Amino acid sequence: MRKVRIAVLVSGGGTNLQTLIDAIEKGDINGRIEAVISDHEGAYALERAKKHNIKAVYINRNQLSENLLPELQKLNIELIVLAGFLSILDRELVKAYEGRIINIHPSLIPSFCGKGFYGEKVHKAALDYGVKVSGATVHFVDEGTDSGPIILQESVPVYIEDTIETLAARVLQVEHKLLPAAVGLFCEGRLCIVGRKVNILKKEV
Ligand code: GRF
């Protein structure tokens, strides 16, 4: 089966990116990361890409509108993965890649998501609310923020003694499991979007 051409968009340390790189190198994902694109010049995720001989591209946040879509089209990208990407994608780009943009969010959507909910803010909101479970969600990106059809979710317990750091670390472990799993399913053509729902098709034997 031909490998899916993937671009991973990042803004930070890139541990989610690293799990994708590792899974691809192990042969667990029928895809190839053609480029890692960051809106932060110093993002360590770009270093991770370079270490694995993956094209690493920095695009200034103020130039994303004019430069990101052409870069993706030039590389003939078939799947975009947002792995800790903090900029909002233009409506035109989301339309052009409808059903082909996957995001990872560190909560059980629809809790603690949407505008302003990213990174530690998500875990602080969960702890302040007093939830007993949190977790991670992998979903398709639509024109909203963290509002597209959900692909995979997994919960983690929240303990009374938890801090933002301890909860974030527990959720990150689940992220590192779910993101490669979801990308793998996409690259096998097993994700079927029906309205708001994502149907995971059985593996063809
Ligand atoms: C993760 O917590 C992810 O859920 C959120 O941003 C963080 C990215 O971490 N979107 P990393 O850069 O992949 O380590």
Side-chain angles (χ1 to χ4, degrees):
M1 206 171 166
R2 187 179 59 79
K3 290 190 183 300
V4 174
R5 297 171 65 86
I6 303 168
V8 184
L9 276 49
V10 296
S11 298
T15 64
N16 277 293
L17 164 69
Q18 190 64 55
T19 62
L20 288 177
I21 292 171
D22 296 346
I24 286 174
E25 290 182 351
K26 265 174 54 189
D28 293 346
I29 294 178
N30 183 44
R32 186 173 184 275
I33 300 176
E34 301 298 332
V36 173
I37 302 172
S38 180
D39 56 359
H40 283 61
E41 194 163 19
Y44 186 66
L46 292 175
E47 295 311 310
R48 294 180 189 270
K50 290 171 191 167
K51 282 187 185 152
H52 289 267
N53 301 314
I54 298 169
K55 181 179 169 70
V57 179
Y58 162 63
I59 300 179
N60 184 303
R61 261 175 294 182
N62 304 320
Q63 291 158 6
L64 283 171
S65 289
E66 60 264 40
N67 295 343
L68 180 55
L69 186 52
E71 179 72 24
L72 296 168
Q73 290 169 330
K74 184 178 73 176
L75 293 167
N76 191 20
I77 295 302
E78 298 166 301
L79 170 66
I80 299 168
V81 179
L82 308 184
F85 187 65
L86 297 178
S87 293
I88 302 296
L89 297 177
D90 278 0
R91 177 183 293 271
E92 181 199 7
L93 191 155
V94 172
K95 283 311 284 169
Y97 277 90
E98 191 171 357
R100 299 188 293 153
I101 309 174
I102 288 176
N103 182 47
I104 175 96
H105 183 76
S107 76
L108 295 176
I109 290 175
S111 296
F112 314 118
C113 64
K115 215 163 168 46
F117 282 100
Y118 57 87
E120 292 191 355
K121 294 173 191 279
V122 175
H123 305 300
K124 183 176 184 320
L127 291 172
D128 290 351
Y129 197 95
V131 294
K132 296 302 180 184
V133 291
S134 188
T137 303
V138 189
H139 64 94
F140 282 111
V141 171
D142 63 8
E143 286 159 22
T145 305
D146 302 328
S147 54
I150 291 172
I151 302 169
L152 295 171
Q153 289 187 302
E154 185 173 318
S155 66
V156 299
V158 180
Y159 302 114
I160 200 74
E161 68 273 15
D162 264 326
T163 63
I164 290 173
E165 292 70 26
T166 57
L167 179 55
R170 194 171 308 123
V171 171
L172 197 59
Q173 283 185 314
V174 167
E175 295 177 45
H176 291 169
K177 216 170 93 181
L178 294 190
L179 189 59
V183 172
L185 288 167
F186 181 95
C187 293
E188 289 171 29
R190 292 177 56 198
L191 296 179
C192 176
I193 303 176
V194 182
R196 268 214 59 82
K197 295 190 172 69
V198 178
N199 188 0
I200 299 177
L201 306 176
K202 290 224 178 324
K203 200 173 178 66
E204 283 170 24
V205 287

